Amino acid sequence: MKKLVLAAAFIVTGSFAMAQQVNPQDKKINREEMHKKMEQKQQERIAEMQKELNLNDSQVAKIKSLQEKRKTEMKAEFEKNRGERQAKMEQMKAKRQQMDNEMKSILSPEQYDKWQASRKAKMEERKAMMKEKGLNGERRMTKRAQSGTSI
């Protein structure tokens, strides 16, 4: 009976893993769509500011250049910190592996397999929750835009 339950858990976990795979081209398309949406939102915000603050064309141009300057600064900062982030990720990965090895030495093989399955299920649950929160956040932004509330 235990083997049947364990086998079912692995099948469910495997099917979730297969369903979550995304090929690189899909990621590229999603990234491009995201950039287009961000540019569109930026243009909408500028148009809204122009309307609300009664900005002239030179002010709009200066605001656009200021935003571009800020964008390039943020990009440079992001690139500068990339190595540090990578090192932190490697450090966390090593700690996670160490914990995994210690748990393997403490638990019996059956307990360890059950623990691994439980851990993967919880991870999938968290991913689903984050995905749902992301959708809810997007809905909130569209509701604000429709009601005229600025972000």
Side-chain angles (χ1 to χ4, degrees):
M1 185 68 179
K2 287 182 185 179
K3 289 181 182 179
L4 182 63
V5 171
L6 189 58
F10 281 124
I11 290 171
V12 170
T13 304
S15 65
F16 280 124
M18 293 292 239
Q20 297 299 321
Q21 291 179 353
V22 177
N23 65 20
Q25 188 158 355
D26 288 345
K27 284 184 178 182
K28 185 177 179 182
I29 291 170
N30 287 341
R31 190 175 297 128
E32 289 172 359
E33 287 177 9
M34 184 178 73
H35 285 296
K36 286 179 184 177
K37 284 182 182 179
M38 287 173 53
E39 287 177 19
Q40 183 181 7
K41 285 185 185 280
Q42 181 182 10
Q43 290 174 354
E44 289 172 359
R45 282 190 218 112
I46 289 174
E48 188 176 320
M49 284 176 61
Q50 186 175 15
K51 183 180 172 184
E52 287 179 6
L53 302 175
N54 197 23
L55 301 176
N56 61 36
D57 292 338
S58 68
Q59 289 174 316
V60 171
K62 288 177 183 177
I63 289 172
K64 284 182 181 180
S65 68
L66 178 65
Q67 288 178 344
E68 285 299 317
K69 178 183 170 189
R70 175 73 175 134
K71 190 176 180 181
T72 56
E73 288 174 355
M74 288 177 65
K75 201 174 232 182
E77 190 70 25
F78 179 81
E79 292 298 324
K80 188 178 97 176
N81 292 332
R82 178 175 280 188
E84 186 178 312
R85 272 196 333 271
Q86 192 70 24
K88 284 183 181 181
M89 286 173 54
E90 292 296 324
Q91 187 179 30
M92 288 180 68
K93 191 175 182 179
K95 286 182 180 181
R96 196 173 18 240
Q97 185 62 43
Q98 180 184 359
M99 181 186 167
D100 193 48
N101 291 339
E102 289 177 17
M103 288 295 284
K104 199 171 196 175
S105 68
I106 294 170
L107 301 174
S108 71
E110 295 83 22
Q111 290 171 326
Y112 179 76
D113 290 341
K114 191 173 180 181
W115 176 71
Q116 284 282 63
S118 171
R119 196 164 83 168
K120 285 181 182 179
K122 286 178 185 176
M123 187 184 300
E124 291 298 326
E125 200 173 294
R126 277 188 236 118
K127 281 183 182 179
M129 282 178 37
M130 294 201 43
K131 197 172 194 177
E132 181 65 29
K133 282 184 181 180
L135 291 174
N136 288 340
E138 189 175 300
R139 285 188 204 127
R140 272 188 252 127
M141 285 194 290
T142 55
K143 285 181 183 176
R144 284 182 184 161
Q146 290 172 354
S147 67
T149 307
S150 61
I151 298 173

